[in-house]
Amino acid sequence: MAQAITCGLCDLPCGRQPVLRTCNGGDLAFCCMGCANVYAILLESGVIASGQNLRETEVFRRSLELGLISNPGAAPPAIEIDPQAPTAEMLLQVSGMWCSACAWLIEHALRGLPGVVSADVFFASDLAKVKYCPQVLPPDSISARIARLGYQATEVGAEGTAQKSEPHDLLLRLGVAAFLWANIMAFSTILYVGYFEQIAPSASRILPFVLWALATPLVFYCAWPILRAAGIGFLNRQIRMETLLSLGILSAYLLSAVQTLRGQTHVYFDTAAAIVTLVLAGKLIERAAKDRAARSIGQLYRLMPKKVRILSAADERFVSIDALQPGQVFVVKAGERIPADGVVVEGETHADESLLSGEAKPVLKQPGSAVVSGSLNAGGVIQVRATRIADQSALAQIIRLVERALSTRAPIERMVDRVARAFVPAVVILAVVDFAVVLDLHGSIAASLLRATTILVIACPCALGLATPLAITAAVGSASQAGLLISDARVLEIMGKIDVVVLDKTGTVTRGDFRLSDFTVLESAVEALAMAACGPAPAALQAESNRSDSFLADCLPLLAGVEAFSEHLLGRAVVDYAREHRIGPAKVTAVEIHKGEGISGIVGVRRIFIGNRRLMDSANCRMDPCAVEYACEAQQSGRTIAFFAWDGVVRGVLAFGDEIKPGAAEMVQRLRDRGIAVQLVSGDAWPTTAVVANQIGVTDFTAEASPAAKARIVEDLQKAGKRVALLGDGVNDAPALAQADLGLALGTGADIAMSAAPIVLMSGSLSKVEDAFLIAAKTRRIVRQNLFWAFFYNTAGIALALTGVLTPIFAAAAMLLSSASVVANSMRLARQAER
């Protein structure tokens, strides 16, 4: 055997491709370029010629410290990732996982990769979510590490589908196994008859070899995925579900092979064949259930068109959806999917948004109407101006939310996984003990081995590993089809513990479709504007002078110019009112958003303030008694008011009308029927909030609440020991949504609110709140039922196996029945969505 070449500097092995350098007339080998370069420096400086020990030189020590050369006495340095370093997230579709232990193994291996910040693998959805630092770890290394474990991983992309070959391969193996098992059982019947009646000696000698020939491809081809998974677990020092099955299959097969070679007719090839066939049947049922439960993500991906018909000056042309930019106009014809978010600029149609919102009623779209990607054009031809690129569209955000939900794990699921990992080694020990006891009592290796095989097969925790993740995956898919996007599966468990639901008022309980219904301009404002224009001062405008030329010409341009920078619903109402009256906005600079109070900006030399009473007070604007009186009257009638001011004086009041959403009072009553208290919070004034609270039947409400105040209300309830849910839709609700134990955001609201909430109600209908609680309650009930039956089957089965009542074939059938019951129970959620 050739001696390994060592490095001429650090004495480490050089490997198969050493770095060679000619020094002093001969060739020296080095393990890396660093060692070769440092040696060259020492050679040129005369250190080597002087005979000095190379490892005692300053150059050598400094090179070690800097990592330029290898340190034979030190372990590889651990890579520490800077918390501020940029990270990326990768979502992978993993094929080849047979149980939750596979997911744990991949997760454990990925977390050991340098550069990986976190890794979570989910058996029920075949997804792996990896957060890593691209500066340290290239993304290809993640897929390569999974491949070395024996699994295939592909990044989830536009197709969003799993490996197509996996279910086909499983079905082929099952078909071959069933065919071979049927033949094995037919030939075994002849041997069974031989126990009671005389059969030809030649048949007794030949039939065991025939059975051996039939069982060999069944065990080593059909059962290969099971054996392979067990081998992977063994190499990674993990005893897993497939280990139990492999021990049972190989024990029956090898015992039968030995018996055949000894000329015995008591063989158990039929037992090994039955175990393989029934296990493969159970896995095919599981595979179909997993695909069906996660079907929602595939449906969403199929909604995304890959091409868009761009309208150019000359003609129409198709381009990739990725090439579409905001501002470009594209054409959508009848029966086509709308490829991107935008606004209709020409044409009229009805759009079917049912797969996105859960509402089956077509929505009228005309010039000025917003359309969302993925909805179906059910009418005429329309031209749409794109407002977002494809990756930022509403559909893309929905897909990311569903992916996030499928890649989260509930606390009960983590607990069950830990139990299953401890359960499998315990079963192996129990089987070994039972084997020894039966062997000692009866002295029969065959009987002892069959008893141990029965224990290994019946205790296989397939159903236990499926009980929670399959139900949760089905629930997420069911909810998405009902217009409920769940981005964190853990909330399904939290929803059963909610004590208080806090409702935002504007845009949540009310429609948020504000209209500027009334206004008053004080005499001081008219005088100030007239003086600025060097004209005569007209008389004061009264509240009912809604179409006053002075207001439209003098005040509205200032207000519309400032509010054009606001995302608040009241700001949009002012801008819409100006647009309706063909009033152009004034040029505004130095705009400042006052959170929970209003907005201000400079027009000319004046700073214009628009907002609530708190903003007027903080800006030291003097409040006219007439303005206060008008505001009180408007608020008592349920309208929302806003003041506007400049030069330190309140100049007028705006009154906005809004409507309460249908079903708001019914939603409050249903929550109360569940034993959940309801509170209303609003940034609006007390009189307006009181009117709305009274109309929906809420007695506990808070008015004039800033975003920080809303978050504090939630925090105070939590400190009192309450579990709090918050339903909101606006930017100012995001802090409270993040603070709450459960956040529910309306899909009609701001993006930041949707990102802060783990549940999004796509249609904005308040009836969806009840649907969310119903789905969560049914999911929890099904998970508890699944866990009960899984533990019952395992416990009862092990007891029967220990007493010798069960045979391996019946154990395999019972394991199949256990998995099938869990699958069927979980699929009730998917069937509910289809109805």
Side-chain angles (χ1 to χ4, degrees), residues 295-440:
R295 190 179 298 165
S296 59
I297 187 70
Q299 288 178 335
L300 290 173
Y301 273 115
R302 285 191 289 274
L303 289 180
M304 296 186 71
K306 298 177 178 60
K307 300 287 184 182
V308 57
R309 187 186 286 106
I310 294 291
L311 183 64
S312 62
D315 54 3
E316 300 172 4
R317 56 190 176 88
F318 282 99
V319 299
S320 169
I321 187 64
D322 296 326
L324 183 66
Q325 296 298 319
Q328 287 185 297
V329 177
F330 58 89
V331 178
V332 185
K333 297 185 177 180
E336 295 179 347
R337 293 278 175 192
I338 296 174
D341 293 357
V343 176
V344 177
V345 294
E346 186 177 316
E348 186 173 304
T349 188
H350 283 81
D352 181 357
E353 301 175 348
S354 57
L355 285 176
L356 300 174
S357 65
E359 301 290 340
K361 184 179 179 181
V363 182
L364 175 64
K365 302 296 180 182
Q366 52 193 1
S369 300
V371 293
V372 293
S373 59
S375 56
L376 180 68
N377 179 10
V381 179
I382 55 174
Q383 294 182 13
V384 181
R385 178 175 286 106
T387 55
R388 292 176 177 172
I389 61 174
D391 192 50
Q392 296 174 356
S393 68
L395 181 57
Q397 292 181 50
I398 289 170
I399 290 174
R400 283 193 288 269
L401 288 174
V402 175
E403 286 175 349
R404 193 194 309 171
L406 294 176
S407 60
T408 55
R409 187 178 290 139
I412 189 171
E413 185 180 347
R414 295 182 184 275
M415 183 270 291
V416 171
D417 285 348
R418 288 194 296 270
V419 170
R421 285 199 296 272
F423 180 76
V424 173
V427 168
V428 174
I429 295 172
L430 182 64
V432 171
V433 171
D434 185 72
F435 174 84
V437 171
V438 174
L439 183 64
D440 182 61

Side-chain angles (χ1 to χ4, degrees), residues 577-595:
Y577 188 83
R579 188 181 296 117
E580 290 170 7
H581 290 82
R582 301 181 183 278
I583 301 297
K587 186 176 180 181
V588 181
T589 58
V591 175
E592 184 178 352
I593 303 294
H594 306 271
K595 288 187 178 180

Side-chain angles (χ1 to χ4, degrees), residues 720-744:
K722 305 292 185 182
R723 291 290 185 95
V724 185
L726 187 131
L727 176 62
D729 77 317
V731 174
N732 57 355
D733 297 323
L737 285 167
Q739 176 66 41
D741 299 288
L742 170 66
L744 299 99

Side-chain angles (χ1 to χ4, degrees), residues 374-727:
S375 56
L376 180 68
N377 179 10
V381 179
I382 55 174
Q383 294 182 13
V384 181
R385 178 175 286 106
T387 55
R388 292 176 177 172
I389 61 174
D391 192 50
Q392 296 174 356
S393 68
L395 181 57
Q397 292 181 50
I398 289 170
I399 290 174
R400 283 193 288 269
L401 288 174
V402 175
E403 286 175 349
R404 193 194 309 171
L406 294 176
S407 60
T408 55
R409 187 178 290 139
I412 189 171
E413 185 180 347
R414 295 182 184 275
M415 183 270 291
V416 171
D417 285 348
R418 288 194 296 270
V419 170
R421 285 199 296 272
F423 180 76
V424 173
V427 168
V428 174
I429 295 172
L430 182 64
V432 171
V433 171
D434 185 72
F435 174 84
V437 171
V438 174
L439 183 64
D440 182 61
L441 292 176
H442 301 287
S444 171
I445 293 179
S448 304
L449 199 58
L450 285 180
R451 183 80 65 85
T453 299
T454 304
I455 293 172
L456 292 172
V457 173
I458 193 63
C460 192
C462 302
L464 190 62
L466 278 175
T468 303
L470 188 60
I472 288 176
T473 303
V476 171
S478 173
S480 69
Q481 293 182 34
L484 291 165
L485 296 182
I486 300 174
S487 61
D488 189 340
R490 290 171 292 188
V491 302
L492 294 170
E493 190 173 338
I494 294 171
M495 290 185 81
K497 304 173 184 178
I498 293 298
D499 302 304
V500 182
V501 172
V502 178
L503 304 174
D504 172 56
K505 181 182 77 69
T506 305
T508 304
V509 172
T510 65
R511 289 185 181 276
D513 186 17
F514 282 103
R515 304 292 296 175
L516 180 55
S517 60
D518 214 351
F519 53 81
T520 183
V521 182
L522 303 177
E523 186 174 357
S524 59
V526 180
E527 292 175 350
L529 291 170
M531 289 174 63
C534 299
L541 301 176
Q542 299 302 317
E544 59 271 11
S545 305
N546 279 3
R547 297 194 174 276
S548 166
D549 293 338
S550 298
F551 174 75
L552 295 177
D554 299 327
C555 297
L556 191 55
L558 309 180
L559 305 181
V562 175
E563 292 287 16
F565 293 89
S566 173
E567 289 191 357
H568 197 279
L569 297 172
L570 297 182
R572 295 179 199 169
V574 173
V575 174
D576 290 343
Y577 188 83
R579 188 181 296 117
E580 290 170 7
H581 290 82
R582 301 181 183 278
I583 301 297
K587 186 176 180 181
V588 181
T589 58
V591 175
E592 184 178 352
I593 303 294
H594 306 271
K595 288 187 178 180
E597 295 180 348
I599 189 171
S600 66
I602 296 177
V603 180
V605 296
R606 286 194 177 99
R607 177 164 285 276
I608 310 296
F609 292 90
I610 313 171
N612 56 25
R613 182 67 180 266
R614 290 194 306 275
L615 178 60
M616 299 300 111
D617 292 341
S618 63
N620 297 317
C621 295
R622 181 169 54 83
M623 184 69 67
D624 191 291
C626 294
V628 176
E629 181 182 354
Y630 175 79
C632 290
E633 291 176 359
Q635 289 168 344
Q636 287 170 2
S637 64
R639 288 182 291 180
T640 300
I641 62 98
F643 301 96
F644 58 92
W646 60 78
D647 295 341
V649 179
V650 173
R651 306 293 181 172
V653 187
L654 305 174
F656 301 87
D658 196 7
E659 294 180 9
I660 293 175
K661 286 183 178 178
E666 290 81 355
M667 175 198 66
V668 171
Q669 186 57 49
R670 288 196 184 102
L671 290 173
R672 286 209 180 104
D673 293 342
R674 291 181 173 275
I676 299 173
V678 182
Q679 292 188 17
L680 182 69
V681 296
S682 175
D684 215 334
W686 190 93
T688 304
T689 306
V691 171
V692 174
N694 181 62
Q695 290 178 351
I696 64 173
V698 173
T699 55
D700 190 356
F701 64 91
T702 304
E704 300 181 4
S706 65
K710 291 180 182 180
R712 281 197 301 272
I713 290 170
V714 173
E715 187 178 4
D716 290 342
L717 288 169
Q718 291 170 329
K719 288 179 179 178
K722 305 292 185 182
R723 291 290 185 95
V724 185
L726 187 131
L727 176 62

